[in-house]
Amino acid sequence: MTEVSTELIVRDNPGSGSYDAVRGSRVVGRLSYEAQPGQGQAGPHFVIRSTVVDPQLRGYGIGSELIRVALDDIRAKGATLTSYCWFVDEYIAAFPEYADLVARRPGA
């Protein structure tokens, strides 16, 4: 395994529709989403598509930190989410304090 020593920064990148995990000058993880405007009284909505971490850096908690920061930011924006990413689904199952962010999928 590669040693990870540089601080991890997670930032929203609306231009690419992603939250990026950056170490140094390198993107080492990405959570991809589609932002949708709110309708009526509802706030904005995020459709989470996938989470990817550099294979050489898996096992260091980068994906979990990426998801945590993204979910905290989604909450701060007053938004809801729909996830099509198994990793995000498992994270929310492990940390049910984020379950209130999840909107019902149409037809569910």
Side-chain angles (χ1 to χ4, degrees):
M1 285 184 124
T2 305
E3 184 173 328
V4 179
S5 59
T6 309
E7 184 178 341
L8 182 71
I9 297 169
V10 177
R11 59 181 176 226
D12 186 7
N13 187 347
S16 70
S18 65
Y19 284 89
D20 298 333
V22 180
R23 277 203 193 277
S25 61
R26 235 177 99 211
V27 174
V28 296
R30 176 167 283 148
L31 181 147
S32 299
Y33 67 83
E34 176 187 336
Q36 301 174 342
Q39 297 180 359
Q41 295 293 330
H45 185 77
F46 286 75
V47 177
I48 298 175
R49 301 289 181 193
S50 63
T51 305
V52 178
V53 173
D54 182 324
Q56 294 179 338
L57 298 175
R58 290 181 184 160
Y60 290 101
I62 292 170
S64 294
E65 180 66 5
L66 178 58
I67 293 169
R68 184 192 66 76
V69 171
L71 295 180
D72 286 346
D73 190 54
I74 289 169
R75 180 181 309 262
K77 291 175 179 173
T80 57
L81 68 88
T82 301
S83 172
Y84 293 96
C85 173
W86 67 269
F87 194 38
V88 170
D89 294 343
E90 286 186 2
Y91 187 91
I92 292 172
F95 298 95
E97 61 266 31
Y98 292 107
D100 63 307
L101 297 175
V102 179
R104 268 189 66 202
R105 291 183 187 170

